[in-house]
Amino acid sequence: MTTTTNATDLPIALTGDRPTGPLHLGHHAGSLVTRLALQDETRMFVMIADTQALTDNAGDPGRVRANVTEVLADYLAVGLDPARCTIFLQSAAPALARLSMLYMNLVTVSRLERNPTVKAEIAQKGMARDIPAGFLAYPAAQAADITAFRATLVPVGEDQLPMLEISNEIARRVNRIAGRDILPESRAMLSRTGRLPGVDGQAKASKSLGNAIALGIGADELREAVMRMYTDPGHIRVADPGKVEGNVVFAHLDAFDPDRDEVEALKAHYRRGGLGDMVLKRRLAGVLETTLAPIRERRAAAMARPDEMMDVLATGSRVAAAVAEETTRLVEDAFGIIRLD
Ligand code: TRP
């Protein structure tokens, strides 16, 4: 596909991930499944957000560079198909940077400081007063990512909702400046399961917290990770009634076990007492192995052919760069930027 305008009548979707580590089960439950479904229902752009990853990894750029391939392998392994979606590298669409610079003028520092996701990240990373300016401003850059593709659908986890709010505010401001609607507003597409907790019981599975199960994990490691999962610390003897809420094993069964009725029956049994953690964990290990075995295999196949992977990224990035360029010019025109060519 080489046309830059939306040649189809399909709605446009845009989403992405920071390449700071391989993707994990939280991504799978949070947005990867939604994306697979959108491949045929939308014109979807999937972005490896290397520039955004550098906003808090500039001291360790090798990490970002190395993980571009990891994330790309994860995409291909879960079934994102370059023939049905456009996978691209953020830095390879340089118009996004021009758009970001303009958008920085449409959002206030206090608005950025109030963003709950950014606030949580600042606390979690211990940035305190040493917050990189680029990091604080990344929601404005993310607005550029979304609007450059004129996306109306953004399949993401719920932690990204504050970004969409800012993106829509910026889009409305651009439209006011332009005097016409050049940018559509977008909405998030959340998954059925919502946020997956970390294996340690923390609210969110996250690579930086080290409490997530990577999609490419080996079978033995997977079993060990499940066996170590946080359950209910008050559930000491098998006969004791156990808590389902906050129990990480049940959160994973809810997200990945296809037999919903059986999961509900197990929950009732657990609450009554008489159901041991080991029984549940064995079941979950089996369910996750069924989910991850084909992904592991496709991932290894992709990683064995790095040149082919880079070709996929280069092809997608050419398409994405052209689309972003077109929208960026519209916005630049609205700002009265002079074209000397
Ligand atoms: N902020 C997202 C994350 O941390 C990655 C991202 C960058 C993104 N640009 C985006 C997601 C645009 C959706 C739309 O995973």
Side-chain angles (χ1 to χ4, degrees):
M1 196 183 307
T2 49
T3 49
T4 57
T5 47
N6 189 21
T8 66
D9 286 331
L10 295 173
I12 300 174
L14 175 287
T15 182
D17 300 279
R18 293 181 198 168
T20 52
L23 301 183
H24 53 69
L25 286 180
H27 295 108
H28 194 289
S31 79
L32 291 175
V33 173
T34 320
R35 297 181 193 178
L36 293 184
L38 289 180
Q39 292 194 102
D40 296 316
E41 296 164 13
T42 66
R43 182 175 185 208
M44 183 166 61
F45 296 87
V46 183
M47 178 181 76
I48 302 183
D50 58 343
T51 314
Q52 186 178 108
L54 285 168
T55 63
D56 66 330
N57 284 281
D60 187 10
R63 174 177 181 203
V64 174
R65 189 188 167 107
N67 280 301
V68 167
T69 330
E70 300 288 330
V71 171
L72 181 53
D74 286 324
Y75 285 165
L76 300 172
V78 294
L80 288 178
D81 174 2
R84 294 186 291 151
C85 67
T86 302
I87 300 175
F88 74 101
L89 187 65
Q90 186 177 31
S91 58
L96 296 176
R98 272 153 50 208
L99 206 50
S100 298
M101 284 307 286
L102 294 174
Y103 287 2
M104 301 265 226
N105 308 317
L106 302 180
V107 65
T108 63
V109 171
S110 71
R111 180 75 180 91
L112 293 166
E113 282 172 341
R114 278 199 311 275
N115 183 305
T117 298
V118 173
K119 262 164 92 174
E121 285 174 300
I122 287 170
Q124 184 204 317
K125 294 171 208 279
M127 285 175 178
R129 289 169 53 232
D130 299 319
I131 306 163
F135 183 78
L136 188 65
Y138 90 71
Q142 189 156 333
D145 303 336
I146 296 167
T147 55
F149 296 91
R150 315 167 70 75
T152 56
L153 300 173
V154 186
V156 280
E158 60 179 45
D159 61 321
Q160 298 297 304
L161 292 176
M163 311 303 162
L164 286 174
E165 244 180 66
I166 289 184
S167 179
N168 285 337
E169 285 169 18
I170 289 177
R172 286 194 291 272
R173 288 198 181 116
V174 168
N175 290 341
R176 208 172 311 132
I177 290 162
R180 64 194 176 97
D181 286 349
I182 56 178
L183 301 177
E185 290 188 37
S186 62
R187 65 178 174 87
M189 295 191 72
L190 298 175
S191 70
R192 173 185 64 80
T193 44
R195 177 177 298 189
L196 197 66
V199 290
D200 55 359
Q202 293 207 53
K204 185 181 169 188
S206 134
K207 196 164 43 213
S208 38
L209 295 172
N211 63 359
I213 295 178
L215 296 179
I217 193 170
D220 293 342
E221 280 174 282
L222 172 61
R223 208 172 311 108
E224 281 162 30
V226 171
M227 293 307 155
R228 279 198 309 269
M229 266 183 189
Y230 181 91
T231 56
D232 168 11
H235 185 239
I236 297 165
R237 283 174 300 264
V238 172
D240 293 342
K243 269 197 350 219
V244 167
E245 288 68 35
N247 188 316
V248 175
V249 176
F250 276 113
H252 282 74
L253 287 172
D254 273 337
F256 296 102
D257 194 325
D259 191 345
R260 323 280 334 137
D261 291 344
E262 181 60 20
V263 171
E264 289 310 312
L266 288 168
K267 283 181 185 171
H269 191 177
Y270 196 77
R271 287 192 175 108
R272 275 198 311 275
L275 179 58
D277 283 356
M278 277 316 284
V279 175
L280 286 177
K281 286 183 169 177
R282 256 183 250 122
R283 180 182 180 92
L284 178 60
V287 165
L288 292 182
E289 177 58 19
T290 306
T291 307
L292 291 184
I295 294 177
R296 182 187 304 134
E297 207 169 298
R298 284 195 298 260
R299 194 179 196 285
M303 286 301 269
R305 292 190 294 275
D307 292 351
E308 269 176 45
M309 275 205 289
M310 285 303 128
D311 283 348
V312 164
L313 201 55
T315 304
S317 297
R318 271 193 295 277
V319 174
V323 177
E325 176 69 34
E326 192 176 282
T327 311
T328 299
R329 283 180 170 250
L330 279 178
V331 177
E332 285 173 341
D333 289 345
F335 275 95
I337 288 191
I338 296 170
R339 301 227 172 272
L340 296 173
D341 47 82

